[in-house]
Amino acid sequence: MALDKYEVHEHDVIVIGAGGAGLRAAIEASAQGAKTALICKSLLGKAHTVMAEGGIAAALGNVWPEDNWKVHFRDTMRGGKLLNNWRMAQLHAQEAPDRVKELEAWGALFDRTPDGRILQRDFGGHRYARLAHVGDRTGLEMIRTLQQHAVHKGIDVFMECTITRLLKDGDRIAGAFGYWRESGRFVIFKAKAVVLATGGIGKIWKFTSNSWEYTGDGVTLALDGGAHLIDMECYQFHPTGMVWPPSVRGILVTEGVRGDGGTLKNALGERFMFKYVPEFFRAETADTEEEADRWYTDKKNNRRTPDLLPRDEVARAINTEVKAGRGSPHGGVFLDIASRRDAKYIQRRLPSMYHQFKELADVDITKESMEVGPTAHYMNGGVRVDADTAVTAVPGLFAAGEIAGGLHGANRLGGNSLSDLLVFGRRAGLYAAEYAKNFKGTLTVDAGQVEALARACLDPFERTGGENPYAIHQDLQECMQSLVGIIRTEGELKKALEEVATLRERCRRIKIDGNRQYNPAWHLALDLHSLLTVSHAVTLAALERMESRGGHTRDDYPKTDPELGKVNLVVRKVGTELTVGREPLLQMPPELRQLLEGDK
Amino acid sequence: MTVLDALVEIQREQDPTLAFRYSCRVGMCGSCAVVINGRERWACRTLLASLKTEAVTVRPLYHFPLIRDLVVDMAPFAAKMKAAGAVFVAKEGEEAFAPIGRNVKERRQIDGAIECIGCGACLSACTMVGWNEQYAGPAALNRAFTLMADSRDGAGAERWPLLLSEDALVRCHGQANCTEVCPMELSPTDSILKLRRKSIFQLVRSAHRLDTSGATVVA
């Protein structure tokens, strides 16, 4: 069988996903001389990065000269409950400042200090004001800058193209197989190296801040291709999503609101976060409202407000308040910035939030409190990669950005995502290009496999089953929301495993009407394989971690278990089955361990 | 309920194949621009109730080739950006990269026009784009304006001929339909007018340069 009935493209490096990490990887691979393609499921520039509001964490030391990579490293590790890959945390903290300055050299405009340097803002879990930002639209600035730079460099961009399987020749990567959303026709990309930069999995939950693309495609491509996942149980629920009206439930309210003076209150008007300061953060957190209030104006002599504790702590606290009956009318809590800041300040610092609430909820945040509650937000875990080179367990397969696990451990700090994209996007592009350059053999794409993949994709048109893909997706979201949400128990997790298996059975009976041209029902039918695979992986890992740590909270094991603090949970695909196992953390060198112990 | 919610519901309950684009659901990505009750809007930011009509009509953007249902081919958007040279090119040869201060005129000018998220509403609303496919149109000229105002950009010399061509600045008739519909409340019309003002100085300067070179020959 030959491939000649298919459209075939040939490159040294293909990058799947065109958010911050994918763009940065493509720019780097291309700069290294590799013939590079960038493939994305949406239109260019619509990737999730565009929604990032708060900023890019980088120890530039512009606002606080005391800041440096060591403090950033410490904050990242502590925020991640030490489950992090220390080497990734080190590289990330060391290289983030250069990546930010480089963005500026490519045309980005950041907000500035009075003396003209890049301004930095406070965010949860960061000891010093550290986030380089542009109002509350940092992601837009970043994506525009990277996108224009990439296009200017002449990188081949393939838009609205969904990849459904990685192609291999023996153990090695040989390319990828997918289809054009517009025509429904199949396409083959032959490549020596593939960089996965497809982001996260948030669409498996009902209340999510994520956009429609976040169906876990890349994670599933990696797993199906033989790579391993880590820390999948440590999914991050952002503490502040909108809760009302129903159609916008889950949409993000940036942490910048709290960084700029917003405080959380329950229905009694209490600033409840003071009740939830864990021992781990007690020394650096204000214990009275007076001190917290003083901190906004005098940060040197006061400790920071508990409203800015790491996201897992705040999400759990809100959850507890709501359960105790002290929530807001629509099942959240109140976030109040109006009583501390004047209207002009709020509109200047948080313009997107102001418009979002005004237009969608008819709430004027300069006068009233917002109602907020936890929402599925970010995959802390993901594909396991080598820290320095971003390579996965599969030769030729690299991963960077949200899809890669390790940097954030059990919980990510706000602002560490955009810097992650840049630091490891660049590294993935660099080493993918190097791998492609050094690979001297030939790669063959198996025509029989391609034929089988194409047939499987078209199956849903042929069936008579009558299942609707939208209904299956909705049922999956209900299942994950109620059984694998913020607070988990063994019984519910086991039930979720059964339900996921049942949903998989139902997928075999999906019937798609119409033709292949831009048919969203068919697209979703194909995405469901990914959605179900990642749901399965998260649930398996959540069952195995019988403790509470970071983004993972077990009602039946509410404490941390020191033994489980020494291992990552690794999910693999063996045959057609997913398995989960414990593997020891990488050993940290003593000089880095020392940075964590001192409280300076 | 927003128009987007309604479209999603129709897709789930009535027509699974109904094609439309959306991503972020919250007015940050600019994927869901369509024409609602005769005017370009984002489906995600338009409340059905605010339209105050019993039936709501939704159609795809004008002036883009139709793919299916509400989905159009956005390729002309990128082509127009290119036609206006709307890409940042860093100035070469500067020792340190020169930042732009926080409260200077340059930054204020750029900030007023920078927040375009590429939804295409302005192109759909522009009658001149409708008449002339070659016209660079409001989004690209607006971006070009921010670059021409940016002291760090080094591509001005190459961009001027594009902007001064037949199919760029001169094509705008100042009807301001783009400004009227822009969901980000930007004013491409204003950017185009400011670029035109600059272009006059540019034309005078280049004419002057011709003179001086002539003068040099005489001397």
Side-chain angles (χ1 to χ4, degrees):
Chain A
M1 247 178 288
L3 294 174
D4 40 8
K5 68 174 189 180
Y6 294 100
E7 176 183 348
V8 180
H9 297 273
E10 225 171 319
H11 291 87
D12 295 321
V13 176
I14 61 170
V15 179
I16 306 173
L23 282 163
R24 188 62 189 83
I27 288 169
E28 192 64 26
S30 168
Q32 297 299 321
K35 188 183 179 209
T36 306
L38 185 61
I39 303 165
C40 53
K41 199 160 120 168
S42 301
L43 297 172
L44 193 59
K46 310 305 182 192
H48 218 290
T49 307
V50 82
M51 294 172 72
E53 292 157 351
I56 311 175
L60 293 156
N62 289 352
V63 174
W64 289 80
E66 294 89 332
D67 201 11
N68 58 56
W69 76 263
K70 291 175 181 171
V71 193
H72 192 184
F73 167 80
R74 167 195 175 275
D75 292 347
T76 302
M77 292 295 295
R78 280 169 66 89
K81 304 296 184 302
L82 310 183
L83 223 52
N84 324 51
N85 175 321
W86 64 265
R87 177 65 179 157
M88 285 176 93
Q90 181 189 23
L91 288 169
H92 168 253
Q94 285 173 332
E95 294 179 2
D98 282 347
R99 298 286 81 76
V100 170
K101 289 179 200 155
E102 174 182 82
L103 271 190
E104 194 165 56
W106 294 346
L109 279 165
F110 290 102
D111 286 353
R112 310 205 80 84
T113 61
D115 64 349
R117 291 174 302 161
I118 294 175
L119 183 62
Q120 299 182 274
R121 89 164 19 130
D122 274 301
F123 237 54
H126 292 282
R127 187 174 183 93
Y128 300 115
R130 188 176 281 146
L131 271 66
H133 61 276
V134 196
D136 58 1
R137 53 173 179 83
T138 314
L140 171 63
E141 188 69 15
M142 181 160 145
I143 208 107
R144 178 190 18 247
T145 303
L146 289 172
Q147 182 185 325
Q148 293 206 343
H149 197 71
V151 170
H152 189 63
K153 294 282 170 203
I155 294 165
D156 292 336
V157 181
F158 300 94
M159 292 191 254
E160 297 203 308
C161 179
T162 304
I163 298 299
T164 63
R165 191 67 73 96
L166 297 176
L167 301 170
K168 286 168 78 177
D169 182 354
D171 290 340
R172 284 179 187 279
I173 281 295
F177 172 87
Y179 64 91
W180 297 107
R181 301 172 65 77
E182 180 183 332
S183 63
R185 290 185 187 284
F186 297 117
V187 56
I188 292 164
F189 294 93
K190 290 186 178 176
K192 294 174 189 158
V194 173
V195 178
L196 293 173
T198 56
I201 62 171
K203 290 308 275 184
I204 65 178
W205 283 281
K206 187 176 174 192
F207 301 136
T208 174
S209 68
N210 290 184
S211 60
W212 78 268
E213 293 97 331
Y214 267 36
T215 49
D217 299 5
V219 178
T220 305
L221 289 173
L223 205 53
D224 287 345
H228 311 150
L229 314 180
I230 59 167
D231 301 336
M232 290 302 285
E233 71 282 14
C234 299
Y235 193 85
Q236 177 169 80
F237 290 84
H238 193 289
T240 58
M242 290 176 82
V243 297
W244 190 258
S247 61
V248 300
R249 175 133 195 185
I251 286 172
L252 199 67
V253 178
T254 175
E255 193 167 321
V257 175
R258 283 171 286 141
D260 284 342
T263 51
L264 293 162
K265 293 174 181 172
N266 62 19
L268 309 173
E270 288 170 344
R271 286 173 61 180
F272 58 86
M273 278 312 299
F274 288 93
K275 294 187 293 188
Y276 297 92
V277 182
E279 198 49 52
F280 197 64
F281 293 105
R282 210 171 283 280
E284 59 198 64
T285 309
D287 47 19
T288 62
E289 289 186 25
E290 292 70 32
E291 183 179 1
D293 284 341
R294 286 198 304 270
W295 174 80
Y296 289 107
T297 45
D298 175 8
K299 290 178 179 163
K300 294 237 178 223
N301 299 308
N302 297 286
R303 292 171 299 173
R304 57 174 43 224
T305 171
D307 293 290
L308 283 172
L309 279 168
R311 290 176 174 175
D312 53 334
E313 311 289 352
V314 182
R316 262 196 306 275
I318 293 175
N319 207 61
T320 311
E321 285 296 306
V322 174
K323 273 200 172 165
R326 293 188 292 270
S328 65
H330 301 104
V333 293
F334 295 106
L335 174 58
D336 169 26
I337 190 167
S339 48
R340 186 185 310 277
R341 305 289 188 197
D342 63 50
K344 224 175 130 194
Y345 179 92
I346 296 170
Q347 285 190 33
R348 181 169 57 81
R349 296 283 295 179
L350 302 159
S352 309
M353 283 301 111
Y354 173 76
H355 286 288
Q356 182 174 315
F357 273 90
K358 192 86 195 122
E359 287 166 33
L360 297 175
D362 198 23
V363 166
D364 182 349
I365 68 168
T366 67
K367 296 198 178 76
E368 310 159 66
S369 292
M370 296 158 252
E371 272 189 76
V372 295
T375 178
H377 185 54
Y378 186 90
M379 180 172 66
N380 292 317
V383 179
R384 181 154 72 168
V385 292
D386 172 63
D388 286 78
T389 63
V391 73
T392 68
V394 180
L397 182 61
F398 299 76
E402 182 173 352
I403 187 183
L407 168 62
H408 307 295
N411 173 55
R412 175 177 69 88
L413 298 184
N416 271 359
S417 175
L418 292 187
S419 41
D420 174 8
L421 305 180
L422 296 170
V423 168
F424 293 103
R426 175 187 153 275
R427 282 183 166 268
L430 179 66
Y431 288 101
E434 192 182 283
Y435 171 90
K437 200 187 290 175
N438 293 335
F439 179 70
K440 300 290 181 217
T442 52
L443 291 166
T444 312
V445 169
D446 178 356
Q449 187 198 2
V450 167
E451 200 62 28
L453 288 170
R455 259 200 316 274
C457 285
L458 295 174
D459 255 3
F461 287 106
E462 313 296 332
R463 297 188 193 125
T464 49
E467 281 280 2
N468 172 329
Y470 299 101
I472 296 178
H473 186 205
Q474 248 174 328
D475 290 349
L476 175 69
Q477 290 182 317
E478 292 288 349
C479 160
M480 293 302 286
Q481 190 71 35
S482 60
L483 304 176
V484 198
I486 305 183
I487 312 287
R488 299 153 178 184
T489 64
E490 183 179 313
E492 291 183 344
L493 291 169
K494 284 187 168 159
K495 192 158 168 243
L497 281 182
E498 285 168 23
E499 288 197 19
V500 168
T502 311
L503 290 166
R504 207 176 261 289
E505 277 306 311
R506 282 174 60 191
C507 279
R508 292 184 219 283
R509 298 192 296 275
I510 290 175
K511 165 74 177 131
I512 300 299
D513 294 322
N515 61 29
R516 285 158 72 177
Q517 194 199 16
Y518 218 108
N519 186 335
W522 181 46
H523 301 165
L524 179 59
L526 298 178
D527 287 345
L528 274 169
H529 167 61
S530 303
L531 288 158
L532 287 164
T533 303
V534 293
S535 299
H536 191 174
V538 170
T539 312
L540 268 187
L543 251 178
E544 178 68 14
R545 189 170 283 283
M546 288 170 267
E547 65 157 353
S548 295
R549 182 180 298 270
H552 173 66
T553 305
R554 285 283 296 262
D555 213 18
D556 40 359
Y557 299 96
K559 295 215 164 60
T560 53
D561 175 347
E563 286 309 307
L564 279 163
K566 294 177 188 160
V567 295
N568 291 120
L569 299 186
V570 180
V571 175
R572 293 185 169 78
K573 192 167 181 182
V574 183
T576 55
E577 288 298 303
L578 297 191
T579 64
V580 62
R582 300 179 179 192
E583 289 185 23
L585 300 181
L586 289 179
Q587 281 309 303
M588 203 185 316
E591 67 272 20
L592 289 181
R593 183 164 292 283
Q594 227 171 18
L595 294 176
L596 303 178
E597 280 154 11
D599 214 17
K600 285 281 167 206
Chain B
M1 185 182 239
T2 64
V3 172
L4 178 60
D5 294 325
L7 291 172
V8 167
E9 200 167 307
I10 293 169
Q11 196 182 52
R12 281 187 183 154
E13 315 283 336
Q14 297 168 32
D15 178 5
T17 68
L18 177 66
F20 53 91
R21 284 199 189 97
Y22 73 102
S23 276
C24 75
R25 303 173 293 150
V26 64
M28 299 182 92
C29 75
S31 302
C32 67
V34 283
V35 180
I36 300 169
N37 280 1
R39 179 196 161 110
E40 286 76 7
R41 308 170 203 255
W42 294 336
C44 73
R45 278 287 175 105
T46 307
L47 295 169
L48 279 175
S50 74
L51 295 168
K52 299 192 172 73
T53 52
E54 200 152 304
V56 171
T57 63
V58 183
R59 59 149 290 148
L61 291 181
Y62 293 97
H63 311 149
F64 290 93
L66 179 66
I67 293 176
R68 227 197 103 198
D69 296 341
L70 297 172
V71 177
V72 295
D73 181 357
M74 294 297 285
F77 191 90
K80 286 178 190 302
M81 286 299 219
K82 208 168 166 193
V87 169
F88 179 86
V89 181
K91 239 181 217 167
E92 273 177 35
E94 298 207 349
E95 272 183 28
F97 189 72
I100 301 174
R102 92 158 155 185
N103 211 5
V104 296
K105 187 176 167 213
E106 178 184 352
R107 181 68 196 256
R108 283 196 300 272
Q109 278 205 334
I110 296 172
D111 275 352
I114 194 75
E115 293 195 17
C116 171
I117 63 175
C119 69
C122 57
L123 294 187
S124 173
C126 175
T127 49
M128 297 317 293
V129 168
W131 282 107
N132 176 2
E133 272 182 30
Q134 303 301 314
Y135 173 41
L141 293 174
N142 179 68
R143 174 64 178 144
F145 164 73
T146 64
L147 293 169
M148 293 313 252
D150 192 326
S151 58
R152 308 165 307 160
D153 177 84
E158 292 85 59
R159 205 174 289 122
W160 271 124
L162 298 174
L163 296 176
L164 293 171
S165 78
E166 269 193 22
D167 298 314
L169 293 176
V170 72
R171 263 311 138 224
C172 173
H173 285 199
Q175 293 170 329
N177 294 337
C178 53
T179 303
E180 169 94 24
V181 301
C182 177
M184 295 300 291
E185 296 174 10
L186 305 182
S187 176
T189 315
D190 199 40
S191 296
I192 291 168
L193 286 175
K194 283 183 185 144
L195 270 181
R196 280 187 177 167
R197 220 168 293 144
K198 271 190 196 223
S199 74
I200 293 168
F201 290 111
Q202 171 65 17
L203 287 168
V204 169
R205 256 200 309 275
S206 48
H208 178 70
R209 257 202 300 280
L210 287 179
D211 274 359
T212 34
S213 65
T216 318
V217 175
V218 173

